[in-house]
Amino acid sequence: MLLVVLALVLVLVVFPVIAIWWYAHMIDENIAMRNAEAEAALSGPEPNSDGAFYALLMGSDRRSNKENGRSDSIMLVRVDPKRAQADIISIPRDMMVNISGGVSKINAAYSYDGAAGAIRAVSKFAGVPITHYMEVDFSQMVALVDELGGITVNVPESFSGGNGGGSLKAGTQTLNGEQTLVFTRERYKVQGGDFSRAQAQRIVLTAIINKILDQPVTKWPDLVRQFSKGLSTDMSVTDFLSIGQKFYGKSVTLNTAGCPSYAFEQDGVSYVGVEYEEWQDMMRRTDAGLGPKSTIDIPEPQASNKKLGAASNAESPKDYKELVNKSLNSNSVIGNE
């Protein structure tokens, strides 16, 4: 009888626990950042943040195993479990900033100092502590989107034969994995260039998150496994599942926006400049949990916080209104879509 009881304990308790541990360990091995400098650059959330935190999401576009992924997109994400809300804000990769005492584009921080440099540069630009880091290879999203049965998005404009290698018609439609990759890559045959590509990537991420949250919990392990193939992060599977549980079953709010900015040239080099006042307003609203595009009055703690959206490392002109108007005429402005 004792042997029967022990066998039942092994089957019902020990083996499942070992299987779960092995599964989590395997995925943690896949996604582990293994970058001490980057982890040292991360900060804890603000003391009065009610559990909300900021994460830096870097999107790369690896075309082959022999090629290092390029940091094609930079997104600041504020995750607020208490409100079941996430705000995703794109920061143009060509944003003019000061890096190590010289003028450069913000994505150069990644080229010079890797993830640690990107974390420091974006944290200074946004005026917030960055608690977590995620690097996503968009070329690996194909299998995940197919696993989800496709995602429904509203493609802002039609394009054909660009660098994405395909064509899409404007309008609401369901995309498979390959079509999603085409959408997130395109920047030559769309009006806003890199700005339009950043918008497309925000649209896709929002659609993927919504589709995952709509799936039964029993499907999450397979989805997490698939997602982990294109992910490098300081977070563990337990971290992701813990956050997911806080959102699951709630009415989730996902807000997206682009840092208010414009394109211009200086000394023959193309840059993106920040609209200082508009950026500070956006970051104050975001930090207050109002969403980046809200019109509600900003609470006092954020309204008087000079660090939020201060863009203290920005090097673009302080007098930018005329440059914005000029850029508008060439469709090279990004802001609240």
Side-chain angles (χ1 to χ4, degrees), residues 170-193:
T172 301
Q173 57 203 281
T174 299
L175 304 182
N176 62 26
E178 287 295 339
Q179 290 171 321
T180 299
L181 187 58
V182 166
F183 184 37
T184 58
R185 277 181 173 171
E186 189 54 54
R187 63 190 178 102
Y188 292 141
K189 297 294 184 176
V190 285
Q191 292 185 14

Side-chain angles (χ1 to χ4, degrees), residues 14 44 67 69 74 88 106 117 138 149 152 165 201 218 222 236 258 285:
V14 178
E67 183 184 64
I74 303 170
I88 303 171
I106 198 166
F138 275 96
T152 301
Q201 290 172 348
T218 53
D222 283 339
S236 67
R285 293 180 186 282

Side-chain angles (χ1 to χ4, degrees), residues 61-74:
D61 186 11
R62 192 187 304 275
R63 304 298 176 98
S64 72
N65 291 329
K66 297 179 180 179
E67 183 184 64
N68 290 324
R70 295 163 293 185
S71 54
D72 284 336
S73 61
I74 303 170

Side-chain angles (χ1 to χ4, degrees), residues 84-164:
Q85 176 176 315
D87 302 320
I88 303 171
I89 303 174
S90 294
I91 297 173
R93 63 179 189 167
D94 293 340
M95 181 65 67
M96 179 189 267
V97 294
N98 188 303
I99 298 175
S100 302
V103 175
S104 193
K105 299 178 180 182
I106 198 166
N107 71 336
Y110 183 87
S111 301
Y112 296 155
D113 298 313
I119 291 165
R120 288 192 291 266
V122 174
S123 178
K124 196 169 184 180
F125 183 75
V128 296
I130 292 176
T131 305
H132 293 296
Y133 176 86
M134 291 174 282
E135 188 172 328
V136 176
D137 181 355
F138 275 96
S139 67
Q140 293 294 324
M141 294 295 102
V142 172
L144 175 61
V145 171
D146 287 337
E147 181 100 7
L148 288 167
I151 55 172
T152 301
V153 303
N154 185 6
V155 177
E157 59 182 300
S158 301
F159 61 85
S160 177
N163 68 297

Side-chain angles (χ1 to χ4, degrees), residues 41-55 77-81 123 127-132 234 243 246 287 307:
L42 295 170
S43 307
E46 294 285 5
N48 299 321
S49 60
D50 293 329
F53 63 87
Y54 288 92
V77 184
R78 183 178 185 271
V79 179
D80 190 338
S123 178
V128 296
I130 292 176
T131 305
H132 293 296
D234 68 293
I243 294 169
K246 292 174 183 176
D287 195 73
K307 286 177 58 179

Side-chain angles (χ1 to χ4, degrees), residues 161-238:
N163 68 297
S167 305
L168 287 174
K169 294 289 186 182
T172 301
Q173 57 203 281
T174 299
L175 304 182
N176 62 26
E178 287 295 339
Q179 290 171 321
T180 299
L181 187 58
V182 166
F183 184 37
T184 58
R185 277 181 173 171
E186 189 54 54
R187 63 190 178 102
Y188 292 141
K189 297 294 184 176
V190 285
Q191 292 185 14
D194 272 330
F195 295 150
S196 291
R197 176 168 61 177
Q199 181 188 35
Q201 290 172 348
R202 293 196 302 274
I203 290 171
V204 164
L205 281 175
T206 301
I208 288 175
I209 293 168
N210 278 325
K211 195 70 178 283
I212 289 174
L213 290 174
D214 282 342
Q215 305 301 305
V217 176
T218 53
K219 286 202 68 176
W220 282 15
D222 283 339
L223 294 174
V224 169
R225 177 183 54 79
Q226 195 66 61
F227 184 61
S228 71
K229 293 179 180 179
L231 179 68
S232 176
T233 180
D234 68 293
M235 301 174 75
S236 67
V237 172
T238 303

